[in-house]
Amino acid sequence: MTSHDVTLEWPDGRTLTLAVDEDETILGAAECDGAVLPYGCRTGACGTCSGRLLEVEGAERDADGTIDACAVDDAIAYRRLSRALKDRHRAAGYVLLCIASPRADCRIAVGSSVHTELVDNPWK
């Protein structure tokens, strides 16, 4: 079984590096390690578990500093359609941790603040 090192980074500076098998989700691996991440549906529909790729091993960055979109597609495989993310979100490196499995070592920003980058809060 192939596994990849996935480093989760919270806004408060905490980090956690997990060895995640290619047949398990990043959320599932984090939960097995005792990490608490936000999630809702576990089907890729709500986006509550969104993370943002910060680095993919061996990937180049575009001129604007974002990870190359092809590297994002190569780094993450989905168990099902990621309905909560638009194409522009996926191209920008956002991933749904509840249905995402790694195909490369990577670092991912996690926490509820990542979800708020994607969705405006109508109640603020």
Side-chain angles (χ1 to χ4, degrees), residues 97-114:
L97 304 178
C98 72
I99 58 171
S101 300
R103 295 297 181 262
D105 294 352
C106 56
R107 292 187 310 117
I108 302 175
V110 296
S112 59
S113 61
V114 176

Side-chain angles (χ1 to χ4, degrees), residues 21-84:
D21 291 339
E22 287 189 345
D23 68 344
E24 68 180 333
T25 66
I26 296 168
L27 177 63
E31 288 177 329
C32 286
D33 201 82
V36 177
L37 295 174
Y39 69 90
C41 67
R42 291 185 181 268
T43 64
C46 75
T48 303
C49 66
S50 297
R52 183 173 29 84
L53 281 170
L54 300 171
E55 182 177 5
V56 175
E57 181 182 29
E60 300 290 324
R61 291 195 176 265
D62 291 336
D64 64 357
T66 60
I67 298 170
D68 178 63
C70 292
V72 172
D73 290 340
D74 291 343
I76 299 295
Y78 284 108
R79 293 179 168 209
R80 59 180 64 197
L81 183 65
S82 55
R83 293 178 293 168

